[in-house]
Each structure stands twice: as C-alpha cells, then as structure tokens.
Amino acid sequence: MFAGHLLDQPDSDMWDLTPPDAAFEAERHGFAWLDDLAAVGDAPARARAARWTWQWIDRYSAGRGPGWTPQLTGRRLIRLITHAQMLQGGQDRAACDTLVQTLGQQALFLRDRWQAAAPGLPRIEALTGLVLAGLALDGMQEQATAAVSALGREADTLIGTQGALESRNPEELLDIFALLTWTTAAQADMGQTPPAQLAAAVARIAPTLRLLRHADGALARFHGGGAGMEGRLDTALAASGSKARHAGGSAMGYARLSAGRTSIVIDAAPPPGGTGAAHASTLAFELTSGRRPLIVNCGPGASFGADWRRAGRATPSHSALVIAGASSALLGTGAEAGWLARGPVDVPVRLSQASDGQRFEGGHDGYVSRFGLTHARTIEMVSGGRGVAGEDMLLALSQADKRRFDDTRAGAWPAGLPYQIHFHLHPDVDAVPDMDAVSLELRSGEVWVFRTGGAVEMTLEPSVYLENARPKPRACKQIVLTATALRYASRIRWSLAKTQDTPISIRDLAQDAPDPDPDSV
C-alpha cells in the first residue's frame, strides 16, 4: 500500500503494477518499502527485496523516468546503501558490481542536481542521500565532504532558533530530524565529526520533538502531520543523544501539559503561512493517557484524496470550538486555492501553575471579522494527570465587535448564534452515554468520564480517524457540545476525569484485539 492506495496483485511484481496516481509512483521509486522487507528479514522477504531492486535497475537506471528527481533519488540512495548488505547476500559478483555502479550513478546525479530540490525536506533528503553515498563509495569522499557542509547550511537555515519548522508540521520535523541524526551517525561510524551547524540543528530539534511527543510515544497530529511510525520518534531521539527539554512548555506554536501518564498538546498559534497543508486548528488539543490516545484530531487526509484532505483541514475535524459550522480559517480561492485565509492573527497564550496542577490559557481572533467573537480556551490538568477541566468562552470584546455580533444575530441568527465544541475520540475508545455524562473506556481498561454543565446539549456523533497507513478512514465517535451565543459573553465548562487512579508503575502491555472491520467508516 503506497500513498493510501492498496493494490492486491500477488502474482505481479511491483514494477508491473499500473500506479493509480503520481504519489503512488513516487513511493515506489523512493524505496522506503525496503525498510519493511528488511524488518521482516526472512528469506522470502530478502529475495523479494533483491528481485524488485534489480528489476528497477534493469528498467530505470539509465537516468530517466519518474524516479529521477533529487528528492526521490536521495530517498532511494539512503535505502539502497542502508540495506546493501541484505541486497547483496546470495548475489554473484556481477550483480553486486551492478548495484555499486548504479549507486555511483545516482550519487553523481545528486552531486549535480541536489540544488534543484525544493528547500525543506526534499533538499534535506537529496543531500542526505549524497552524504551517505559519499561515505560508502570509493572515490566519493570529496563529494561527501561538500555535501555534509551543504546539509549543515540547509539545516541551519531551515530550523529556527527554537527548533521549529515554518510549516509547523510535527511529522515533517521528525522526518528531517531522523535524516540529520542518520547523517551524524554515519559520520561517527567513519570517525568524522559533523559540522557544527548540523550538530546544532539536531540539538535544537530534539527538545521540540520531545514536547510534541504524547505519552504513548506518538506525535501530536497537526498541520498535515500524522503520529509517525511506531517507535520512530523514540529511536531518533535516542540516536541524537540529546536529553534537553523546553523549559517553558511551549515550542513551534504548540503548548504541552503533562502529568503522570497523561499528556495534552495544544495548537497555540496562528496557522502557518507559506504552506498548502496548514489546518484551521488553532486552540485544538489532543489528549493521551499512557499508551492510549483518548481525545484526537481527525488527522491528515491527503492519502485518501482531495476531498478527505480538505475535510481534515477544517476546524470541525479538530477537537476545537466551531461557530455556525465555519472554520476559524478558510481555504482560499483562485490563485490562493489550497491556502488558508482569514484565519487567526492574534493568539495570546499563557502557561501557568494552577492550584493543583497546570493551566493553559489562550485565545484567537479567527471569528472576529465574521461574527465579532473571540474564542478563549482554558485547560487545567490536575497533579498526577488524573483529571482535566476545560472552559471555552466566546467574547465580544470591543464596541466594534459588539456591533458586528448584533448585526450577525439580527441577520441570519435572531434566535442566537449556534456554536459547537468537538471532542473527537480515538477509534479504540468505547464511548457510552450515561445520564449527563459519557463514559470512555480505553483498551487498557482505564475509564474516563466526560461531563459538562449549563444549558448545553451533549451528543455522541460519528467521526473519522485518518491514518496514512490504512487504506480507508477509520470510524470513530465524537462528543459534541452544542449551544447558542445570545450575549456578548458565552461560556461552556467541561471536564474529563478517571474513575480511579492508575498507578504509574502499571504498564499497558495487553495486545490489541483486531476490530471486526477496522477500515470501514
């Protein structure tokens, strides 16, 4: 399965398949599938890896075709060099020489073309491939020296002083971090010292990724990024050797609350500019308890097509407040189609200590121009992570805002401006309404109870969970709180609490039972 497409043709080789789209074709030529076959590691997997590799060499090694871009060539070289020993096992001398020859050919291509890769992850991939090829191949050491210097400069430019990416995509930051740590490890194996710029970029990224890491080891899912492959984040952090953390509890526009087995990550900044993958997710949050995600966002839907990608970027697809079904930032039109516009600009945030834990306070003005209302959100986590209390407010702050709110109400919503707060639940959460509450049971056996108060309608509704590794969106549930704004200040309070304390010493090692139909919506 590549780029969300599952082709089941067991009697065909990979290169005989007709790719359903360009993204599928790119994943084929990027050779990341070698990692999967190497992970299986048995004789059939090794034989298949070698067969598909030499088929590619026979068909595409002439330097033409869809796989010959700097980014894909760099990605492919990384895998071919990393798994060269596996690929050469059982091959004759001529086949091994052919592999080495194509590695050199691709390295020369990158030497001349890496600058044509787009700045960011594509260029980092191209340069990493060139560095590894230069270190591994005879006669290429000079190229490795030049490439690693260029990689250090690119990383220094790309990674901000606080270890941040402009795109604010956590998974993209992890991809870059893994490549940089890969390079520094390869240099160390050769007895070389990485450039200061490269080492400094790694040191800046590590604390940011640690802040974006949920209690289960997965990344927070925002702005086009997924949770990441299981274990990849912890492996990369361990390889970096950095144990630093951000002292203030915020980085790259995100805020973190954590205690005991519970972690919360909040989108605490305006949507990023300069990217067509930004989400209208300001003040949305995710909550994980131990190894089990509880409150989530729907996630990136790009692998399921344009419609799912667009839906995944909207505010209702996040655990956030929504006014009249409108996103806090809107997709542009015309030449700006795909880019977010009219979104939050002013997003004040404060992290502090509460009487019995930690407190996040934030607000955004994404709805002011349309409705005259500012959204303010407070989230408190008690010591030990046993409970979370939240409050969402809509406020008309200035006289101009009050006039806009009055005009809006007098027009389309004379009975009150409707708004909702969404709490998307992970598919593994078993949600059961119980009087004025919702009981949430995790597969670990832990039970949380969600409550709200006041003149609020609470419903349990369908939702979806979008994962790149699955062929279809997964069905799940969401708790939705519905109310109307009748005055210049409206407020909804809600809470999440465990029914009993979970000792930190208890580890959730139970194997997950497969869903009857885990890929159906």
Side-chain angles (χ1 to χ4, degrees), residues 202-227:
V202 170
R204 293 199 301 272
I205 295 173
T208 300
L209 285 176
R210 197 166 274 115
L211 183 141
L212 294 168
R213 179 190 182 276
H214 274 300
D216 63 345
L219 281 169
R221 307 187 323 146
F222 289 96
H223 298 296

Side-chain angles (χ1 to χ4, degrees), residues 34-112:
L34 271 182
D35 296 341
D36 301 323
L37 292 174
V40 176
D42 59 15
R46 295 195 301 270
R48 181 163 300 186
R51 184 171 75 250
W52 287 352
T53 297
W54 266 270
Q55 286 175 348
W56 183 91
I57 293 173
D58 291 341
R59 299 186 190 197
Y60 300 105
S61 63
R64 296 183 298 273
W68 285 90
T69 67
Q71 179 180 14
L72 288 178
T73 302
R75 189 183 306 170
R76 185 168 57 246
L77 261 181
I78 293 168
R79 268 64 187 197
L80 289 172
I81 291 170
T82 300
H83 302 300
Q85 185 174 2
M86 176 188 73
L87 293 172
Q88 291 178 323
Q91 303 294 325
D92 58 27
R93 179 62 180 270
C96 293
D97 289 345
T98 298
L99 178 62
V100 173
Q101 181 180 357
T102 191
L103 294 178
Q105 182 184 11
Q106 293 176 71
L108 292 175
F109 173 86
L110 282 179
R111 180 197 63 184
D112 299 332

Side-chain angles (χ1 to χ4, degrees), residues 3-5 21 23 276 279 299-314 317 331 338 466 473:
H5 297 283
D21 60 19
H279 287 201
S303 63
F304 306 113
D307 291 341
W308 278 114
R309 177 176 181 270
R310 183 183 181 94
R313 299 174 67 190
S317 295
L331 285 175
L466 306 173

Side-chain angles (χ1 to χ4, degrees), residues 163-519:
L165 273 181
E166 184 180 0
S167 70
R168 300 187 54 227
N169 181 328
E171 191 173 19
E172 183 181 4
L173 184 65
L174 172 58
D175 289 340
I176 292 171
F177 184 69
L179 291 170
L180 298 183
T181 55
W182 215 335
T183 301
T184 56
Q187 284 194 284
D189 290 343
M190 298 293 291
Q192 300 178 10
T193 302
Q197 289 176 313
L198 188 59
V202 170
R204 293 199 301 272
I205 295 173
T208 300
L209 285 176
R210 197 166 274 115
L211 183 141
L212 294 168
R213 179 190 182 276
H214 274 300
D216 63 345
L219 281 169
R221 307 187 323 146
F222 289 96
H223 298 296
M229 187 181 299
E230 185 176 357
R232 186 170 184 235
L233 173 57
D234 288 345
T235 299
L237 287 171
S240 73
S242 172
K243 297 182 180 180
R245 296 177 181 272
H246 283 292
S250 62
M252 206 167 82
Y254 298 96
R256 176 185 176 89
L257 304 176
S258 62
R261 294 163 48 89
T262 309
S263 64
I264 294 176
V265 179
I266 308 157
D267 185 354
T275 172
H279 287 201
S281 56
T282 305
L283 297 190
F285 77 97
E286 293 190 319
L287 184 153
T288 297
S289 178
R291 290 183 58 240
R292 304 294 169 173
L294 178 56
I295 305 296
V296 297
N297 298 309
C298 289
S303 63
F304 306 113
D307 291 341
W308 278 114
R309 177 176 181 270
R310 183 183 181 94
R313 299 174 67 190
T315 305
S317 295
H318 298 82
S319 293
L321 181 144
V322 180
I323 299 179
S327 289
S328 58
L330 304 179
L331 285 175
T333 58
E336 299 297 322
W339 299 74
L340 289 181
R342 298 178 63 188
V345 175
D346 185 21
V347 185
V349 167
R350 183 173 70 173
L351 288 167
S352 61
Q353 292 297 313
S355 58
D356 185 30
Q358 307 165 60
R359 177 189 293 119
F360 165 87
E361 297 171 282
H364 77 77
D365 60 352
Y367 290 117
V368 170
S369 64
R370 286 168 283 170
F371 305 109
L373 295 174
T374 294
H375 174 213
R377 167 166 272 184
T378 300
I379 300 175
E380 293 186 1
M381 180 185 290
V382 301
S383 298
R386 303 182 309 275
V388 175
E391 180 181 74
D392 286 279
M393 298 184 68
L394 290 174
L395 306 166
L397 299 175
S398 68
Q399 290 301 318
D401 293 346
K402 292 176 182 177
R403 287 193 297 270
R404 186 174 292 112
F405 175 71
D406 289 337
D407 292 343
T408 300
R409 276 205 56 201
W413 291 283
L417 187 60
Y419 67 97
Q420 295 179 316
I421 307 176
H422 298 259
F423 300 87
H424 296 273
L425 307 175
H426 189 272
D428 291 341
V429 175
D430 186 14
V432 180
D434 183 13
M435 300 292 289
D436 59 346
V438 178
S439 175
L440 307 172
E441 183 174 356
L442 310 185
R443 284 192 172 175
S444 61
E446 203 172 69
V447 178
W448 291 70
V449 176
F450 181 96
R451 289 187 173 90
T452 188
V456 179
E457 179 187 3
M458 180 168 62
T459 55
L460 193 61
E461 301 180 9
S463 182
V464 292
Y465 188 75
L466 306 173
E467 292 179 287
N468 293 333
R470 288 180 177 264
K472 297 178 182 178
R474 296 180 69 186
C476 62
K477 298 290 185 181
Q478 61 174 315
I479 298 170
V480 180
L481 306 182
T482 302
T484 56
L486 296 167
R487 303 176 182 86
Y488 298 142
S490 301
R491 177 175 66 187
I492 292 179
R493 289 175 174 170
W494 50 267
S495 66
L496 272 161
K498 294 182 185 180
T499 56
Q500 58 185 6
D501 288 345
T502 303
I504 296 176
S505 60
I506 292 180
R507 301 178 65 195
D508 173 17
L509 300 177
Q511 294 292 317
D512 292 338
D515 295 322
D517 187 9
D519 295 321

